[in-house]
Amino acid sequence: MSDTETEQSQDQEGLGAAGSQLSTAPQEDTGTLPGLGVIGWVRWFWRQLTSMRVALLLLLLLSLGAIPGSLIPQTGADASKVEAFRAAHTTLAPVYDKLGLFHVYSSVWFSAIYILLFVSLIGCIVPRTWQFVGQLRGRPPGAPRRLDRLPAYTTWRTTADPEQVRADALALLKKRRFRAHTAGDAVAAEKGYLRELGNLAFHIALIVLLIAFASGQLFKSDGTKLVVEGDGFSNALPMYDDFKSGSLFRNDDLVPFSFDLKDFKGTYELSGPNRGTPRTFEAKIDYSVGADGRTRAKTVQVNQPLKIDDSKVYLVSHGYAPVITVRDGKGEVVYKDAVPLLPLDGNVTSQGVIKVMDGYHDAKGRYDQLGIRAFFLPTYGGGASVLSQFPALLNPVLNLEPYHGDLGVNSGLPQSVYQLDKKHMTGFKDDQGKQLRANLKPGQTMKLPGGAGTVTFEKDVKEWAGFQIVQEPGGAWALGGAITAILGLAASLFIQRRRIWVRAVRGADGVTVVEMAGLGRSESAKVPEELGDLAGTLYDRAPGAPDTHEDVSHAVPAEGAEQ
């Protein structure tokens, strides 16, 4: 992509080298037809591909192509949403499949746009870079024969010697950070190379961003893990609750580390309009890197992840895990564990399932399985309230709804640990023949009918933290490329490349005639203003002859020159 700015033909006429190479933007010949033969067509296609028009078009198409990837469920992000969309839109789904809209970023058409943009940028940058290097190694071109034809021009007569005027002009321009040298009877100076450098940096940064994005998509991994206080996690594929990765990712690419959740702390606003809003949300962990790494302590907070090489461990959610003890008909403990429950609202009203799959026997000693639906309120409001009134543990109540029978775990079909399939389950009945339900406070016990056992809500209520473990190589390159692109674009927009010439020659009457002119890449008031300031300073060093009345406090545009 190139930011071509065509100079007006009248500005260029007669300037020669003085008006050339003010940028590295290639001239685009839109009217030239390709020559005969394959080579002619290849050259024509290459010129079109590396032109600004095509590059902008490809960038626009890439942006438009990313829109369906944001609006339509993607297989790589959430396969369940894709299946739900297929079920709800039986007509659109086959069309989306053919167009690859369920996997936009790996589709053929999106990859083609991506690769063509990549090639277009490289094809534009390489020749411009060599041209820019050549300009840096060279010198500003000498003054044109007719300085009065330039857009910004001024002149006056002085009694100072021409050599002294040129020496003063050279020193002044160098002091103003111009690249300057004496060429014949004039001083040639140029400034604003950072504009082209910023332009090239912007385009190179775009390539870096494309590469970083591609590597991030191909080699990334993203998984989640729910960890209860006192438990731990090891960065291995079987340990994840949910995991997805790029097409070139391998299991060996996982960064080896592990951590234990020591404590989770959450505090909330107790009053006012923001009551219930989190104030503190942090997880204290001990982690180690590698098999023999030493253990280190770390507090993970929202937007302050644990960083280990290319992996980042984010704290994304939290909830409660009441400790439940289940005894069978003989009074033996068959289950005791903290049961993570999933929040339903901002006050952490939670629900889940307690599944006792092994070891349980009913009052008659027969093997059975238990499934207990659990509904947890951290702050019970009393009465018929079914929702928590506050997210903290101010008045915790656990509602239990027990069932017995076949949980279906031996069928080989996967099932959620947070849902209960009651197809082959029978509910326990209370004295009135209704489904047994009980509200328990910490330390209370619910008895199952017929001596089938007990369920105890222990006083210990643990908390759990949900972590997202992201491994996305190229993130640092993407950040660096984005910052470079912004700085480069700012330089190309706000810095103007311009040239100044100062000619001093002795006239026929023996009085020195000083001419100053400036030329910029585009129409701007900066060049005349800067020329006027330079002319005023130089005029103080080489004041006008007694018979001259020219006002050189500002640059005067040449008559007939375009502004």
Side-chain angles (χ1 to χ4, degrees):
M1 181 170 48
S2 59
D3 60 342
T4 306
E5 297 178 8
T6 305
E7 296 289 336
Q8 298 291 335
S9 60
Q10 292 181 356
D11 291 342
Q12 295 290 348
E13 183 180 355
L15 296 183
S20 66
Q21 295 183 347
L22 268 171
S23 77
T24 58
Q27 295 292 332
E28 297 184 17
D29 188 1
T30 59
T32 303
L33 295 176
L36 297 177
V38 176
I39 296 179
W41 279 100
V42 169
R43 289 177 177 173
W44 177 84
F45 176 78
W46 179 254
R47 285 197 300 268
Q48 300 307 310
L49 181 61
T50 56
S51 67
M52 178 185 68
R53 300 183 311 278
V54 174
L56 288 174
L57 178 61
L58 290 172
L59 191 59
L60 176 62
L61 290 177
L62 193 71
S63 301
L64 293 176
I67 294 177
S70 302
L71 300 178
I72 300 173
Q74 299 294 292
T75 304
D78 195 334
S80 61
K81 287 187 178 180
V82 174
E83 293 304 320
F85 187 92
R86 293 182 194 273
H89 304 83
T90 55
T91 303
L92 279 179
V95 178
Y96 285 4
D97 274 323
K98 292 181 179 180
L99 296 177
L101 296 183
F102 290 125
H103 50 90
V104 168
Y105 303 113
S106 59
S107 63
V108 174
W109 57 269
F110 190 87
S111 300
I113 298 173
Y114 191 91
I115 294 173
L116 285 175
L117 178 60
F118 188 82
V119 174
S120 178
L121 287 172
I122 293 179
C124 180
I125 288 173
V126 171
R128 291 186 63 173
T129 301
W130 285 115
Q131 185 179 352
F132 183 62
V133 171
Q135 293 178 13
L136 289 178
R137 295 179 63 183
R139 288 185 169 188
R145 185 174 58 88
R146 295 282 304 276
L147 288 179
D148 58 353
R149 305 192 65 160
L150 296 181
Y153 172 80
T154 188
T155 182
W156 73 93
R157 290 154 51 88
T158 180
T159 56
D161 293 334
E163 294 79 6
Q164 184 61 42
V165 174
R166 290 193 290 268
D168 291 341
L170 182 64
L172 173 62
L173 290 168
K174 287 186 175 180
K175 184 178 180 181
R176 299 290 181 90
R177 297 189 299 277
F178 279 83
R179 293 182 64 207
H181 71 105
T182 302
D185 59 0
V187 175
E190 189 168 5
K191 192 177 184 180
Y193 289 90
L194 283 179
R195 177 189 180 94
E196 290 301 320
L197 181 61
N199 199 301
L200 291 173
F202 171 74
H203 292 86
I204 293 174
L206 288 182
I207 294 180
V208 173
L209 283 172
L210 290 175
I211 295 176
F213 175 78
S215 63
Q217 292 297 313
L218 294 174
F219 297 96
K220 73 174 182 179
S221 67
D222 188 349
T224 58
K225 178 63 178 178
L226 185 152
V227 183
V228 180
E229 289 175 328
D231 293 343
F233 168 79
S234 179
N235 195 25
L237 196 57
M239 296 292 294
Y240 284 91
D241 296 331
D242 178 61
F243 185 85
K244 53 182 179 289
S245 62
S247 57
L248 298 183
F249 177 83
R250 298 178 303 171
N251 294 344
D252 294 340
D253 295 333
L254 287 172
V255 178
F257 69 88
S258 61
F259 66 84
D260 295 326
L261 177 60
K262 296 301 181 181
D263 181 56
F264 179 88
K265 181 180 181 181
T267 60
Y268 309 88
E269 292 287 348
L270 297 176
S271 60
N274 295 323
R275 184 176 186 271
T277 302
R279 297 179 58 186
T280 304
F281 206 69
E282 59 186 27
K284 295 182 180 180
I285 65 173
D286 289 344
Y287 75 98
S288 61
V289 181
D292 302 321
R294 66 183 182 88
T295 301
R296 307 174 188 178
K298 170 71 175 180
T299 299
V300 181
Q301 299 178 354
V302 177
N303 297 326
Q304 296 182 19
L306 168 66
K307 300 179 182 178
I308 304 175
D309 294 337
D310 287 335
S311 289
K312 294 182 181 180
V313 181
Y314 291 92
L315 176 63
V316 295
S317 59
H318 112 284
Y320 294 102
V323 178
I324 305 298
T325 301
V326 179
R327 292 177 171 82
D328 62 8
K330 297 181 179 180
E332 296 182 2
V333 176
V334 295
Y335 180 92
K336 184 174 184 178
D337 202 357
V339 182
L341 304 178
L342 298 183
L344 300 176
D345 56 25
N347 286 328
V348 202
T349 304
S350 309
Q351 71 173 3
V353 176
I354 305 164
K355 296 183 180 181
V356 182
M357 297 175 285
D358 300 311
Y360 173 76
H361 296 80
D362 61 15
K364 298 181 179 180
R366 293 174 299 189
Y367 170 78
D368 205 354
Q369 293 180 335
L370 293 181
I372 308 172
R373 296 181 62 180
F375 197 75
F376 182 69
L377 283 68
T379 301
Y380 177 55
S385 174
V386 295
L387 297 176
S388 176
Q389 303 301 305
F390 196 75
L393 293 171
L394 301 183
N395 183 28
V397 168
L398 180 66
N399 179 273
L400 298 178
E401 183 180 317
Y403 295 81
H404 67 97
D406 184 9
L407 290 170
V409 295
N410 298 324
S411 64
L413 298 177
Q415 60 177 243
S416 172
V417 297
Y418 302 105
Q419 295 180 350
L420 179 63
D421 183 3
K422 299 186 293 183
K423 185 176 182 180
H424 302 289
M425 304 290 289
T426 302
F428 286 96
K429 306 299 181 179
D430 59 14
D431 296 337
Q432 300 177 357
K434 298 180 180 180
Q435 171 63 46
L436 177 63
R437 292 182 178 87
N439 287 337
L440 303 180
K441 291 188 174 182
Q444 293 183 342
T445 299
M446 177 181 68
K447 293 183 179 181
L448 299 177
T454 60
V455 181
T456 302
F457 175 23
E458 303 291 348
K459 294 183 178 180
D460 184 16
V461 179
K462 295 185 177 182
E463 298 187 61
W464 58 261
F467 295 94
Q468 182 180 18
I469 298 91
V470 178
Q471 186 168 323
E472 192 170 18
W477 285 98
L479 177 61
I483 294 175
T484 303
I486 294 173
L487 295 177
L489 183 61
S492 65
L493 290 176
F494 299 110
I495 297 177
Q496 184 182 20
R497 190 169 171 186
R498 62 270 191 199
R499 289 172 180 160
I500 300 291
W501 292 277
V502 181
R503 174 175 285 146
V505 295
R506 196 175 299 277
D509 57 356
V511 179
T512 300
V513 178
V514 181
E515 292 182 288
M516 294 186 67
L519 178 65
R521 280 200 60 209
S522 58
E523 298 179 2
S524 172
K526 185 173 183 179
V527 173
E529 291 176 0
E530 188 171 31
L531 182 67
D533 180 58
L534 291 170
T537 304
L538 185 60
Y539 186 85
D540 293 338
R541 301 182 184 182
D547 60 342
T548 187
H549 301 286
E550 289 89 352
D551 181 6
V552 296
S553 61
H554 62 278
V556 180
E559 182 179 358
E562 294 189 6
Q563 294 300 303

